[in-house]
Amino acid sequence: MAAVTDFFAFVSERWSVLAFLSYQHMSLVVQSLLFATALAVILGVLATRVSWGAAAAQTFSAVGLTIPSYALLGLLVGIVSIGVLPSVVILVFFGFLPILRNVVVGIQAVDSGLVESARGMGMGRVQTLLRLELPLAWPVIMTGVRVSAQMLMGIAAIAAYALGPGLGGYIFSGISRMGGANATNSIIAGTLGIILLAIILDLVLNLLTRLTPSKGISRV
């Protein structure tokens, strides 16, 4: 009970700092996720337009996810130094991979008969993509986005190794002071904060998926 009381006192005393770090953490993840999504949609669409593209995209996604994030971050620090840049690069890279896979899977799952019907009605490639293929693939794509969002919440904490923004700094600080005053509280506060942010972001993305149905399909 005393430990719980101490933890709440710890959070209360540092609430403004934790709130600011939480904002930084969420901002880093959301901005990286948006960039990763845009990049994955563009490259995923291009991959489905060539015979070998889909297989190459799937292989790249699978292999890329086996790379240890901590090792890649260390490599980036040696190339671009510490700070926000390596944090953004590593988040965009890992966020891009699941979304790319789902873009390819989603577009490939669209009934080719529907695509041919759209073409027969005079719709061009771009119009068919925007009004038929992407709307039908949207739920699958958003599943990839949600998976990436949860993964990036954890990877953003690791980015604190490169002095990236966010709650990871509290976790690393606590680990470096294990046995010292408030070390455990620091680790728990950072971890619980990241879990809470992950839940909030997933709820927002789930709501976004529900509010963006495939409205264009009925008009094809």
Short mmCIF file of all heavy atoms in Angstrom, two decimals, residues 107-133:
data_model
loop_
_atom_site.label_atom_id
_atom_site.label_comp_id
_atom_site.label_asym_id
_atom_site.label_seq_id
_atom_site.Cartn_x
_atom_site.Cartn_y
_atom_site.Cartn_z
N ILE A 107 -5.55 -4.61 -51.58
CA ILE A 107 -5.81 -4.33 -53.00
C ILE A 107 -5.92 -5.63 -53.79
O ILE A 107 -6.77 -5.76 -54.69
CB ILE A 107 -4.71 -3.43 -53.58
CG1 ILE A 107 -4.80 -2.03 -52.95
CG2 ILE A 107 -4.82 -3.33 -55.10
CD1 ILE A 107 -3.75 -1.06 -53.42
N GLN A 108 -5.08 -6.61 -53.47
CA GLN A 108 -5.15 -7.89 -54.17
C GLN A 108 -6.46 -8.62 -53.90
O GLN A 108 -6.91 -9.43 -54.73
CB GLN A 108 -3.98 -8.78 -53.77
CG GLN A 108 -2.64 -8.38 -54.37
CD GLN A 108 -1.56 -9.38 -54.06
OE1 GLN A 108 -1.44 -9.89 -52.95
NE2 GLN A 108 -0.74 -9.68 -55.07
N ALA A 109 -7.09 -8.35 -52.76
CA ALA A 109 -8.34 -9.02 -52.40
C ALA A 109 -9.55 -8.44 -53.12
O ALA A 109 -10.63 -9.03 -53.08
CB ALA A 109 -8.55 -8.96 -50.89
N VAL A 110 -9.39 -7.29 -53.76
CA VAL A 110 -10.50 -6.68 -54.49
C VAL A 110 -10.86 -7.56 -55.68
O VAL A 110 -9.98 -7.98 -56.44
CB VAL A 110 -10.14 -5.26 -54.97
CG1 VAL A 110 -11.26 -4.67 -55.83
CG2 VAL A 110 -9.86 -4.36 -53.77
N ASP A 111 -12.13 -7.85 -55.84
CA ASP A 111 -12.61 -8.71 -56.93
C ASP A 111 -12.23 -8.11 -58.28
O ASP A 111 -12.57 -6.96 -58.59
CB ASP A 111 -14.14 -8.85 -56.82
CG ASP A 111 -14.70 -9.90 -57.77
OD1 ASP A 111 -13.98 -10.30 -58.70
OD2 ASP A 111 -15.85 -10.30 -57.57
N SER A 112 -11.49 -8.88 -59.06
CA SER A 112 -11.06 -8.40 -60.38
C SER A 112 -12.26 -8.12 -61.27
O SER A 112 -12.19 -7.27 -62.18
CB SER A 112 -10.14 -9.44 -61.04
OG SER A 112 -10.80 -10.69 -61.18
N GLY A 113 -13.37 -8.83 -61.05
CA GLY A 113 -14.58 -8.59 -61.84
C GLY A 113 -15.12 -7.19 -61.62
O GLY A 113 -15.59 -6.54 -62.57
N LEU A 114 -15.04 -6.70 -60.37
CA LEU A 114 -15.48 -5.34 -60.08
C LEU A 114 -14.59 -4.31 -60.77
O LEU A 114 -15.07 -3.29 -61.28
CB LEU A 114 -15.48 -5.10 -58.57
CG LEU A 114 -16.53 -5.83 -57.74
CD1 LEU A 114 -16.31 -5.55 -56.26
CD2 LEU A 114 -17.93 -5.39 -58.16
N VAL A 115 -13.30 -4.60 -60.77
CA VAL A 115 -12.36 -3.70 -61.44
C VAL A 115 -12.65 -3.63 -62.93
O VAL A 115 -12.68 -2.55 -63.53
CB VAL A 115 -10.90 -4.15 -61.18
CG1 VAL A 115 -9.93 -3.26 -61.96
CG2 VAL A 115 -10.57 -4.11 -59.70
N GLU A 116 -12.89 -4.78 -63.54
CA GLU A 116 -13.19 -4.81 -64.97
C GLU A 116 -14.51 -4.11 -65.27
O GLU A 116 -14.64 -3.43 -66.30
CB GLU A 116 -13.25 -6.27 -65.45
CG GLU A 116 -11.91 -6.97 -65.46
CD GLU A 116 -10.88 -6.27 -66.34
OE1 GLU A 116 -11.25 -5.76 -67.42
OE2 GLU A 116 -9.70 -6.20 -65.92
N SER A 117 -15.48 -4.27 -64.39
CA SER A 117 -16.76 -3.59 -64.58
C SER A 117 -16.58 -2.08 -64.53
O SER A 117 -17.18 -1.34 -65.32
CB SER A 117 -17.75 -4.03 -63.50
OG SER A 117 -18.04 -5.41 -63.61
N ALA A 118 -15.75 -1.63 -63.58
CA ALA A 118 -15.49 -0.19 -63.47
C ALA A 118 -14.80 0.33 -64.73
O ALA A 118 -15.13 1.41 -65.23
CB ALA A 118 -14.62 0.09 -62.24
N ARG A 119 -13.86 -0.44 -65.23
CA ARG A 119 -13.18 -0.04 -66.47
C ARG A 119 -14.17 0.00 -67.63
O ARG A 119 -14.09 0.88 -68.49
CB ARG A 119 -12.06 -1.04 -66.78
CG ARG A 119 -10.94 -1.07 -65.76
CD ARG A 119 -10.00 0.12 -65.92
NE ARG A 119 -8.97 0.11 -64.91
CZ ARG A 119 -7.88 -0.64 -64.95
NH1 ARG A 119 -7.68 -1.45 -65.97
NH2 ARG A 119 -6.99 -0.57 -63.98
N GLY A 120 -15.09 -0.99 -67.65
CA GLY A 120 -16.08 -1.03 -68.72
C GLY A 120 -17.03 0.15 -68.68
O GLY A 120 -17.63 0.51 -69.71
N MET A 121 -17.18 0.75 -67.49
CA MET A 121 -18.05 1.93 -67.35
C MET A 121 -17.30 3.21 -67.69
O MET A 121 -17.84 4.31 -67.53
CB MET A 121 -18.58 2.00 -65.92
CG MET A 121 -19.51 0.85 -65.56
SD MET A 121 -19.95 0.84 -63.80
CE MET A 121 -20.80 2.41 -63.65
N GLY A 122 -16.06 3.07 -68.13
CA GLY A 122 -15.30 4.25 -68.56
C GLY A 122 -14.42 4.87 -67.50
O GLY A 122 -13.85 5.94 -67.73
N MET A 123 -14.24 4.20 -66.36
CA MET A 123 -13.37 4.74 -65.32
C MET A 123 -11.92 4.44 -65.64
O MET A 123 -11.59 3.32 -66.04
CB MET A 123 -13.74 4.14 -63.96
CG MET A 123 -15.12 4.53 -63.47
SD MET A 123 -15.60 3.69 -61.93
CE MET A 123 -14.40 4.35 -60.79
N GLY A 124 -11.06 5.45 -65.48
CA GLY A 124 -9.64 5.26 -65.73
C GLY A 124 -8.96 4.55 -64.58
O GLY A 124 -9.58 4.23 -63.56
N ARG A 125 -7.65 4.31 -64.70
CA ARG A 125 -6.90 3.61 -63.66
C ARG A 125 -6.92 4.34 -62.33
O ARG A 125 -7.15 3.74 -61.28
CB ARG A 125 -5.45 3.41 -64.11
CG ARG A 125 -5.26 2.35 -65.21
CD ARG A 125 -3.80 2.23 -65.59
NE ARG A 125 -3.57 1.16 -66.54
CZ ARG A 125 -3.34 -0.11 -66.21
NH1 ARG A 125 -3.30 -0.44 -64.93
NH2 ARG A 125 -3.14 -1.03 -67.12
N VAL A 126 -6.69 5.65 -62.40
CA VAL A 126 -6.64 6.43 -61.16
C VAL A 126 -8.02 6.48 -60.52
O VAL A 126 -8.17 6.32 -59.30
CB VAL A 126 -6.12 7.85 -61.44
CG1 VAL A 126 -6.20 8.70 -60.17
CG2 VAL A 126 -4.70 7.81 -61.96
N GLN A 127 -9.05 6.69 -61.30
CA GLN A 127 -10.41 6.76 -60.77
C GLN A 127 -10.83 5.42 -60.17
O GLN A 127 -11.47 5.37 -59.11
CB GLN A 127 -11.38 7.17 -61.88
CG GLN A 127 -12.74 7.63 -61.37
CD GLN A 127 -13.61 8.17 -62.48
OE1 GLN A 127 -13.33 7.98 -63.66
NE2 GLN A 127 -14.69 8.85 -62.11
N THR A 128 -10.46 4.33 -60.84
CA THR A 128 -10.78 3.00 -60.31
C THR A 128 -10.07 2.76 -58.99
O THR A 128 -10.64 2.20 -58.05
CB THR A 128 -10.36 1.91 -61.32
OG1 THR A 128 -11.04 2.12 -62.56
CG2 THR A 128 -10.71 0.53 -60.80
N LEU A 129 -8.84 3.20 -58.91
CA LEU A 129 -8.06 3.04 -57.67
C LEU A 129 -8.70 3.81 -56.53
O LEU A 129 -8.88 3.27 -55.43
CB LEU A 129 -6.63 3.51 -57.91
CG LEU A 129 -5.73 3.58 -56.66
CD1 LEU A 129 -5.46 2.18 -56.13
CD2 LEU A 129 -4.43 4.30 -56.98
N LEU A 130 -9.04 5.08 -56.79
CA LEU A 130 -9.53 5.95 -55.73
C LEU A 130 -10.97 5.66 -55.33
O LEU A 130 -11.34 5.81 -54.16
CB LEU A 130 -9.41 7.42 -56.16
CG LEU A 130 -7.98 7.93 -56.40
CD1 LEU A 130 -8.01 9.38 -56.86
CD2 LEU A 130 -7.13 7.79 -55.14
N ARG A 131 -11.80 5.23 -56.27
CA ARG A 131 -13.22 5.04 -56.00
C ARG A 131 -13.61 3.60 -55.72
O ARG A 131 -14.69 3.34 -55.18
CB ARG A 131 -14.06 5.58 -57.16
CG ARG A 131 -14.00 7.10 -57.31
CD ARG A 131 -14.95 7.58 -58.38
NE ARG A 131 -16.33 7.16 -58.11
CZ ARG A 131 -17.33 7.32 -58.96
NH1 ARG A 131 -17.10 7.88 -60.15
NH2 ARG A 131 -18.55 6.92 -58.65
N LEU A 132 -12.74 2.67 -56.08
CA LEU A 132 -13.10 1.27 -55.90
C LEU A 132 -12.07 0.49 -55.08
O LEU A 132 -12.38 -0.03 -54.01
CB LEU A 132 -13.28 0.60 -57.28
CG LEU A 132 -13.62 -0.90 -57.24
CD1 LEU A 132 -15.00 -1.10 -56.63
CD2 LEU A 132 -13.54 -1.50 -58.63
N GLU A 133 -10.83 0.43 -55.57
CA GLU A 133 -9.84 -0.44 -54.95
C GLU A 133 -9.46 0.01 -53.54
O GLU A 133 -9.49 -0.79 -52.59
CB GLU A 133 -8.59 -0.53 -55.84
CG GLU A 133 -8.84 -1.23 -57.17
CD GLU A 133 -7.61 -1.24 -58.05
OE1 GLU A 133 -7.35 -0.21 -58.71
OE2 GLU A 133 -6.92 -2.27 -58.07
#
